Amino acid sequence: MSAIRPTTNPSAAPAILRVNLAALAANYRLLKSKTEATVAGVIKADAYGLGVEPVFKTLLKEGCGMFFAATPDEAMKLRANDARAEIMVLGGLYEGAEDFYASRGLTPVLNSLEECQRWADTAGRFAQKLPAVLHYDTGMNRLGLHPLDRPETRAFEVRMVMSHFVSSEDKASPINERQAAAFERIAQAWPGTFKSLCNSSGLFRNEDWHYDLVRPGIALYGGNPTPEAKNPMQPVVSLHVRVLQTREVRKGESAGYNATHIFKQDTRLATVALGYADGFPRGGSNAAKLYWKGQPCPIRGRVSMDLVIVETGHLEEPPHPGDWLEVLGLHQDTDALAGDCGTISYNILTALGPRYRRLYET
């Protein structure tokens, strides 16, 4: 495995974030092996915090030709790296930006009859049958056309009809079957048109739900699409942070802002270069843990902007200033850390901060 060298000396970095692009590629291949449908890449939010350009290029090399972004600006970062890929904008057709989409080859995911009309008008002005995706709401009550809506589409090309699961990560949820049935009724109204329903978890639930295209996101980046079972995906991200200082503390002393942790015995602490400014959840205060040589070091006190305190008094060989503690890696994945912080793995990834020194391994 090789690494893209950083532009500055890693010894000056407070934290090292490694993104394993080979694992990302392997995850894409695994997802392809699970279905006969086209496998698109959802790379919104800076590719779930991993860096959109290297992720995009890796998926292109694996043969992925269809991508979903959330906003026009996100989509343009993809377009700048490839003129041919089909890039769909999940957030819909921004009013006033219709010509921007059309002139740059972006495909809007149309979420309302009003958006459909504006796109039809745009296609007329451009004298082209511009592509679009129709998004139907089957239970999320967030974005999307009503299931009974049948927009006038003669002026543009309906590239695909899609919907989105509410809780496909919950295998037992009855909502999944209800949504699948609702989408099947919608699909019958659009014969001969590409259909898409499944996200990462949906892909693993029922082959009948795959239709023509699946849209994995979190699974690409190593998140578990089947929380009730062992994670089938390879880990893509590891994160290690520098120990800045160690100290001895006495029974009855406290740690961090507002003294939210009081020590019941003498112990040892390590302060590391990590905080909520780096995207580490404040919910990890007095709850999450970092790892030193495979051993957990619980966070004591509140997560602050730039610093986290962990207890190391239970370790026979504790870390010293300059050593590196594992935040994400062999002993703690994004799902485990998210559980301790009272959040979800999506939040852990998309919050990864710009102060981490990023190494892309291929």
Side-chain angles (χ1 to χ4, degrees):
M1 182 180 295
S2 61
I4 299 173
R5 296 179 65 84
T7 56
T8 56
N9 189 344
S11 64
I16 301 292
L17 176 70
R18 289 181 170 84
V19 179
N20 188 333
L21 297 175
L24 172 74
N27 286 342
Y28 182 74
R29 291 192 296 270
L30 174 64
L31 294 167
K32 286 188 68 175
S33 74
K34 298 292 183 182
T35 183
E36 296 183 0
T38 297
V39 180
V42 179
I43 54 176
K44 58 184 180 176
D46 196 31
Y48 283 52
L50 275 61
V52 68
E53 184 172 341
V55 167
F56 182 52
K57 289 180 177 179
T58 297
L59 293 177
L60 282 173
K61 288 180 182 178
E62 290 299 319
C64 184
M66 301 180 74
F67 298 88
F68 287 85
T71 71
D73 284 346
E74 286 185 353
M76 282 306 299
K77 290 181 180 179
L78 306 183
R79 178 60 73 229
N81 285 279
D82 189 273
R84 297 165 302 186
E86 188 162 4
I87 303 167
M88 289 151 281
V89 182
L90 289 164
L93 183 64
Y94 286 20
E95 189 169 3
E98 296 86 356
D99 290 3
F100 180 91
Y101 287 69
S103 63
R104 289 159 176 80
L106 306 181
T107 301
V109 176
L110 302 176
N111 293 305
S112 68
L113 292 174
E114 186 270 337
E115 287 186 0
C116 291
Q117 184 58 59
R118 284 195 283 113
W119 194 238
D121 294 342
T122 304
R125 289 199 311 276
F126 276 73
Q128 295 178 31
K129 199 150 188 179
L130 299 171
V133 175
L134 299 183
H135 175 210
Y136 279 90
D137 174 32
T138 55
M140 185 76 78
N141 281 319
R142 193 174 59 174
L143 290 176
L145 293 153
H146 186 277
L148 297 180
D149 284 344
R150 297 294 179 266
E152 174 54 62
T153 62
R154 284 178 293 182
F156 59 87
E157 176 194 359
V158 179
R159 188 72 179 85
M160 187 188 313
V161 173
M162 64 170 278
S163 190
H164 192 65
F165 277 119
V166 170
S167 53
S168 57
E169 75 283 356
D170 181 358
K171 185 178 181 179
S173 174
I175 301 174
N176 296 330
E177 292 285 355
R178 292 203 296 269
Q179 282 193 274
F183 186 71
E184 176 59 24
R185 291 190 291 271
I186 293 166
Q188 291 174 3
W190 295 94
T193 303
F194 241 48
K195 313 296 191 309
S196 178
L197 177 61
C198 285
N199 54 2
S200 290
S201 294
L203 194 158
F204 285 82
R205 296 308 182 200
N206 188 328
E207 291 184 2
D208 292 340
W209 301 346
H210 289 184
Y211 290 96
D212 303 294
L213 180 137
V214 293
R215 314 183 308 272
I218 193 67
L220 285 172
Y221 310 110
N224 190 355
T226 55
E228 76 283 352
K230 182 180 178 182
N231 190 352
M233 315 311 299
Q234 291 190 26
V236 176
V237 178
S238 67
L239 174 62
H240 293 79
V241 295
R242 181 187 296 274
V243 176
L244 299 177
Q245 190 177 76
T246 61
R247 66 179 61 234
E248 307 287 336
V249 295
R250 299 296 182 187
K251 177 181 177 180
E253 293 183 342
S254 64
Y257 283 117
N258 302 112
T260 60
H261 182 85
I262 307 297
F263 294 100
K264 297 180 180 179
Q265 61 187 18
D266 297 351
T267 188
R268 186 185 301 109
L269 305 178
T271 301
V272 300
L274 178 70
Y276 57 75
D278 302 297
F280 190 82
R282 198 164 182 262
S285 302
N286 292 307
K289 49 192 170 290
L290 309 187
Y291 281 81
W292 167 249
K293 295 184 177 180
Q295 299 180 77
C297 301
I299 291 176
R300 300 306 190 200
R302 285 186 174 159
V303 173
S304 56
M305 184 181 291
D306 312 305
L307 302 169
V308 162
I309 302 165
V310 297
E311 185 171 354
T312 62
H314 58 294
L315 304 175
E316 289 186 10
E317 298 181 10
H320 299 286
D323 287 332
W324 299 84
L325 297 191
E326 175 191 310
V327 183
L328 297 169
L330 292 175
H331 305 96
Q332 179 164 253
D333 62 15
T334 55
D335 293 295
L337 178 59
D340 283 347
C341 293
T343 185
I344 56 175
S345 59
Y346 299 75
N347 183 205
I348 298 295
L349 287 178
T350 58
L352 292 170
R355 294 195 296 198
Y356 300 138
R357 183 67 43 76
R358 291 169 181 248
L359 299 177
Y360 290 92
E361 300 173 336
T362 57

